[in-house]
Amino acid sequence: MAVCMWGTVKLMTFGFFLCVDAFLYVFTLLPLRVLLAVLRLLTLPCCGFSGSRLLQPAQVCDVLKGLIMVLCFSMMHYVDYSMMYHLIRGQSVIKLYIIYNMLEVADRLFSSFGQDILDALYWTATEPKERKRDSIGVIPHFFMAVFYVFLHAILIMVQASTLNVAFNSHNKSLLTIMMSNNFVEIKGSVFKKFEKNNLFQMSNSDIKERFTSYVLLLIVCLRNMEQFAWNPDHLWVLFPDVFMVVTSEVAVDIIKHAFITKFNDITADVYSEYRASLAFDLVSSRQKNACTDYSDSVARRMGFIPLPLAVLLIRVVMSSVKVQGALSYSCVFLCYLGLVTLKVLNSIVLLGKSCVYVKRANMEDKLFETPAPPPPSSTSSSTSGKTPSRAEASCPTPPGESMMEPDPVTLCSPPPSSSSFVTTQPTPRTDLFPPPPADPSPAAPPPRPPTPLAEPEPPAPPLFKEEEGEAEASTELKHRTPKKDLLEIDRFTICGNRID
């Protein structure tokens, strides 16, 4: 059980820094990428238009994210945080406890539904359009995404206000009830049947919830420090409550996962597999031909969408901190440079750790799979008029890729036996090289050899050479993959999808 606890801690720590990386991307690198996209649009008439797109797909997604954040931030100015706080403060303790539980459920539903909305927007904006009027479909998706981010930001604001009321209550009864709700979660999870996939989904959900709760605690501390004129002594007053909340959540997660693995006979090695899966998502998103940005892959895997949380944090910081004078703007610029440095360093460390985890899990071959065209062979047309068999099509695939298809190395190598790939190996190949006859009976052999060997015998030597060459090529690829050592990872994609 102690090994399971340690595996849970390492998984939660790795997932926490993944969320930090995706969250810092919104504040640091996304504005720079939006600025580059705007400059490209402004300089397009001077440089000339060559190509079918004004912007690359990655730049289109960056511009959409920037517009969504700007519109939602302007809409959040019409929401009064103080009025919401006093409205919640006037409710009874039991009612606030019920409201907080309802908000947690609504946050999960909003995260699941919101990711589908954003994915639909990005796909509609970047898919190739045959007609110009097909681009009109982006408009309803865009307004739906803005409406979702605004509502989700208000939902998180209500959560932060409820937590702030619990912190400022005199008898701390509401805070105690809210913390005891975490231990009720153990009762609802431990005594249920869990498979490995379900445990992985629950682990990702726990990582996302813990990171969101830490950001809520940051918002509560900012609002309280503003009310006390940024007095450092009040921070030590808040510290015991913050420490109690963080400790209870971490302890609940560790105990819950330890007993779930114990009661369901799941080994502690499964957390290393979970961590390798998250690391593979990160490494695959850093390649030159990555189809998605890393923040989007984290959102799909963990259900963590940084846009609503970022909009709310910017709103709270802008209302809590007054920026006046050249010195204040200099401090803001230095703070921005510090966040950029933290983001880049965090990305570098995460990328290095992820490469190590991918190597340990032997998942490198999945990154370098490049489907090669099948070699020209006369057997495909002479044996049958159909398309090449599944075995020939899967030969160029690197080993270890798919769990639903047979092992490509065994298919490309000379067949040792016909039992391992009876569904994919063509039947004439088993008769091309028959074993030496052990039974010297003169009556049986004469009718059999002429019939199968009459037609396939001429293409037999080139077929054997091709299979032997493909087997040697596959073994060379297998031995060459570790030499690549993840060199296909593009170091420039630390700042998001590469813009050529």
Side-chain angles (χ1 to χ4, degrees):
M1 185 177 292
V3 179
C4 294
M5 290 182 178
W6 180 241
T8 305
V9 171
K10 291 194 292 186
L11 176 64
M12 294 292 178
T13 304
F14 184 72
F16 173 78
F17 283 105
L18 294 182
C19 294
V20 169
D21 189 69
F23 191 59
L24 289 178
Y25 170 81
V26 179
F27 297 98
T28 56
L29 300 179
L30 181 61
L32 296 179
R33 292 172 64 90
V34 173
L35 182 61
L36 289 177
V38 173
L39 289 178
R40 176 182 171 86
L41 288 177
L42 294 178
T43 58
L44 195 61
C46 302
C47 300
F49 177 72
S50 61
S52 59
R53 287 182 177 270
L54 295 175
L55 296 175
Q56 297 181 14
Q59 292 177 314
V60 173
C61 295
D62 293 334
V63 172
L64 289 175
K65 291 178 184 177
L67 289 176
I68 289 173
M69 288 197 63
V70 170
L71 290 177
C72 292
F73 177 73
S74 60
M75 294 166 64
M76 288 293 290
H77 274 289
Y78 296 97
V79 180
D80 191 356
Y81 187 91
S82 300
M83 183 188 69
M84 184 180 298
Y85 172 80
H86 290 287
L87 182 64
I88 295 175
R89 189 182 179 89
Q91 307 299 324
S92 61
V93 174
I94 301 300
K95 187 181 294 186
L96 290 179
Y97 172 71
I98 297 175
I99 290 175
Y100 191 79
N101 290 335
M102 293 174 61
L103 291 175
E104 284 187 347
V105 176
D107 180 55
R108 296 181 184 181
L109 298 178
F110 266 65
S111 298
S112 177
F113 181 63
Q115 186 56 44
D116 296 336
I117 293 177
L118 295 177
D119 284 343
L121 172 64
Y122 299 152
W123 168 249
T124 307
T126 57
E127 65 176 342
K129 307 293 192 306
E130 297 180 357
R131 296 173 298 179
K132 291 186 177 180
R133 63 181 181 181
D134 292 340
S135 303
I136 302 177
V138 180
I139 298 177
H141 286 86
F142 177 75
F143 283 109
M144 189 180 300
V146 171
F147 186 64
Y148 153 72
V149 173
F150 177 67
L151 288 182
H152 200 175
I154 291 180
L155 176 67
I156 301 175
M157 179 182 284
V158 176
Q159 278 186 290
S161 301
T162 308
L163 190 60
N164 197 5
V165 170
F167 268 74
N168 294 330
S169 59
H170 297 288
N171 53 3
K172 306 292 182 182
S173 59
L174 178 58
L175 186 62
T176 305
I177 293 175
M178 291 169 62
M179 292 306 101
S180 63
N181 188 34
N182 293 328
F183 293 93
V184 176
E185 185 180 355
I186 298 178
K187 178 183 176 182
S189 302
V190 166
F191 302 103
K192 290 182 180 180
K193 179 66 176 177
F194 275 91
E195 300 293 338
K196 287 186 177 181
N197 293 333
N198 298 333
L199 184 59
F200 186 36
Q201 294 175 1
M202 190 183 70
S203 301
N204 292 330
S205 178
D206 290 339
I207 293 171
K208 177 255 179 183
E209 289 178 5
R210 296 304 162 251
F211 181 80
T212 304
S213 63
Y214 297 153
V215 177
L216 291 179
L217 289 175
L218 177 61
I219 293 174
V220 169
C221 292
L222 288 175
R223 295 296 300 176
N224 279 276
M225 293 297 292
E226 179 199 2
Q227 297 299 323
F228 287 88
W230 298 96
N231 186 9
D233 296 334
H234 185 69
L235 186 61
W236 296 105
V237 177
L238 294 173
F239 181 76
D241 296 335
V242 173
F243 180 76
M244 183 181 67
V245 172
V246 173
T247 305
S248 64
E249 291 181 349
V250 172
V252 165
D253 285 338
I254 293 175
I255 295 173
K256 178 177 66 176
H257 283 268
F259 279 99
I260 286 176
T261 53
K262 176 181 174 59
F263 293 153
N264 293 276
D265 294 330
I266 300 176
T267 60
D269 297 334
V270 71
Y271 290 100
S272 300
E273 298 176 7
Y274 297 161
R275 190 174 54 185
S277 179
L278 296 177
F280 180 81
D281 290 341
L282 188 147
V283 174
S284 60
S285 65
R286 300 304 191 195
Q287 290 181 309
K288 293 182 181 179
N289 57 348
C291 300
T292 180
D293 189 67
Y294 174 63
S295 59
D296 298 329
S297 64
V298 172
R300 292 187 185 94
R301 178 68 73 178
M302 297 185 182
F304 172 66
I305 305 176
L307 292 182
L309 205 58
V311 168
L312 177 60
L313 187 59
I314 294 174
R315 168 72 173 83
V316 172
V317 171
M318 293 289 290
S319 62
S320 301
V321 180
K322 305 299 180 183
V323 180
Q324 296 177 354
L327 182 61
S328 300
Y329 285 103
S330 301
C331 293
V332 171
F333 181 71
L334 291 177
C335 181
Y336 174 75
L337 291 181
L339 290 177
V340 172
T341 305
L342 179 62
K343 200 276 176 192
V344 173
L345 290 177
N346 187 37
S347 299
I348 293 173
V349 174
L350 282 178
L351 187 58
K353 290 290 185 181
S354 299
C355 292
V356 174
Y357 298 150
V358 169
K359 286 181 180 179
R360 290 179 183 174
N362 298 323
M363 300 171 67
E364 288 181 272
D365 298 330
K366 295 183 180 181
L367 295 171
F368 305 119
E369 59 170 358
T370 52
S377 175
S378 60
T379 56
S380 59
S381 59
S382 61
T383 54
S384 62
K386 299 179 182 179
T387 57
S389 63
R390 184 180 175 185
E392 297 175 359
S394 61
C395 284
T397 308
E401 159 59 25
S402 177
M403 297 177 62
M404 296 186 296
E405 295 184 1
D407 192 3
V409 178
T410 59
L411 294 177
C412 296
S413 59
S417 63
S418 60
S419 61
S420 59
F421 42 83
V422 72
T423 59
T424 58
Q425 187 70 15
T427 53
R429 292 190 180 182
T430 58
D431 298 328
L432 292 179
F433 304 101
D439 186 12
S441 57
R448 294 191 60 137
T451 50
L453 293 179
E455 295 182 0
E457 189 172 1
L463 182 63
F464 179 76
K465 291 179 181 179
E466 288 173 4
E467 286 189 353
E468 185 177 1
E470 291 174 4
E472 291 177 359
S474 63
T475 54
E476 288 178 3
L477 178 63
K478 182 178 180 181
H479 292 295
R480 239 180 320 181
T481 302
K483 291 183 180 180
K484 284 187 176 182
D485 200 15
L486 302 178
L487 291 180
E488 292 293 329
I489 307 304
D490 192 2
R491 63 182 183 276
F492 296 104
T493 55
I494 291 178
C495 301
N497 280 351
R498 182 165 182 163
I499 302 174
D500 297 325

